[in-house]
Amino acid sequence: MGTVVDDAASVEFHDFFERHYSELARLAHLLTGESDAADDLAADALLALWHRWDRVRAADHPVAYARGVVANMARSRIRSAVRERRRITLFWSQREDRTENPDVPGMVDVQEALRRLPFRKRACVVLRHSFDLSEKDTALALGVSVGTVKSQTSKGMAELQRLLGSRDAPRRMHAAALRAGGTGGITGARGR
C-alpha cells in the first residue's frame, strides 16, 4: 500500500519536474544574473521540493510555492556573494605596494607550501601572518569563530613548518609576505 502512494508521488513529482524545471531555471537566472548557477539553483529547489512533496502537492498553487523556494535560494546566494565580496575587499584592503627585488625562490617555496594547506588553514595563516589581522578581524573576514581562527592558524603554521622543513616557517612566511606586498608581521599578529 505504501509503495503505491510512493510510486504515485514519484510519478507526480517527475511530471512536475518536467513541466516546470525550465521555468524555474529561467527565474533563477533572472534573479541572480548567473546563467551557470541557474540550473544548479533550480535543481536544488526541486530537490528541496521533493523532500517536502506532500506539503507542496497539497498547496493551492504548487508552482507558486516552487517559485518562492527558488526566490529564497536566489536571495541566499546573492547574500552569500555579497558577504564573500566584503571578505575579499577586507582581505585586499590591507595590502601595500609591492617591494623591490623580491626573493623569488623564497616566495615560491612559501606559496607552494601554502597551496598545499586546506583552504581554511591557508586563509587563517595568510590573514593572521601576512596581513597582520587580529584573530577577531580574521574571524570576521572568514565568517568563523575566533576559536576556529586560533586552532586553524596553529595547525596551519605547524603544517607549514613541516612542509618547509624548518622551524623558521613564521620568519619565512613574514619575509615572503613583505616581499609580496603584505603589511603585517608574525610577531604583531601573535599578540592579538
Side-chain angles (χ1 to χ4, degrees):
M1 188 188 252
T3 307
V4 173
V5 172
D6 291 342
D7 286 345
S10 180
V11 168
E12 189 177 76
F13 176 78
H14 182 58
D15 182 53
F16 182 88
F17 181 98
E18 292 295 324
R19 283 186 290 136
H20 300 290
Y21 176 81
S22 294
E23 173 192 345
L24 296 175
R26 190 169 55 252
L27 173 63
H29 178 232
L30 291 171
L31 291 174
T32 63
E34 300 176 15
S35 58
D36 294 341
D39 286 332
D40 291 341
L41 271 174
D44 289 345
L46 284 162
L47 179 61
L49 292 172
W50 170 245
H51 289 295
R52 297 183 227 135
W53 187 242
D54 287 341
R55 191 178 328 154
V56 175
R57 70 199 285 207
D60 291 335
H61 303 286
V63 176
Y65 189 97
R67 289 180 190 134
V69 171
V70 170
N72 286 333
M73 288 183 156
R75 181 182 307 116
S76 293
R77 183 176 183 86
I78 291 166
R79 286 180 179 164
S80 178
V82 167
R83 282 191 302 272
E84 184 66 21
R85 279 193 287 272
R86 286 181 186 151
R87 289 179 191 139
I88 290 169
T89 300
L90 176 63
F91 181 83
W92 289 110
S93 69
Q94 303 295 320
R95 291 191 56 127
E96 289 180 359
D97 294 330
R98 297 191 180 274
T99 59
E100 293 180 28
N101 302 321
D103 175 12
V104 175
M107 287 176 55
V108 169
D109 289 346
V110 171
Q111 288 174 347
E112 180 58 34
L114 282 170
R115 274 199 252 352
R116 294 178 64 186
L117 294 179
F119 178 77
R120 186 174 286 171
K121 286 179 188 173
R122 181 180 344 138
C124 287
V125 166
V126 168
L127 289 172
R128 293 281 292 130
H129 295 291
S130 294
F131 290 86
D132 201 25
L133 291 185
S134 68
E135 290 167 344
K136 182 180 176 185
D137 288 341
T138 301
L140 179 65
L142 297 176
V144 298
S145 71
V146 171
T148 298
V149 170
K150 289 178 181 181
S151 70
Q152 292 297 293
T153 302
S154 175
K155 290 175 183 176
M157 289 304 291
E159 209 165 320
L160 276 178
Q161 286 177 347
R162 184 184 59 76
L163 291 169
L164 293 171
S166 67
R167 295 209 177 269
D168 67 342
R171 182 192 57 75
R172 290 178 71 183
M173 180 75 188
H174 175 67
L178 288 176
R179 288 183 194 103
T183 63
I186 297 302
T187 56
R190 288 186 185 221
R192 293 186 209 155

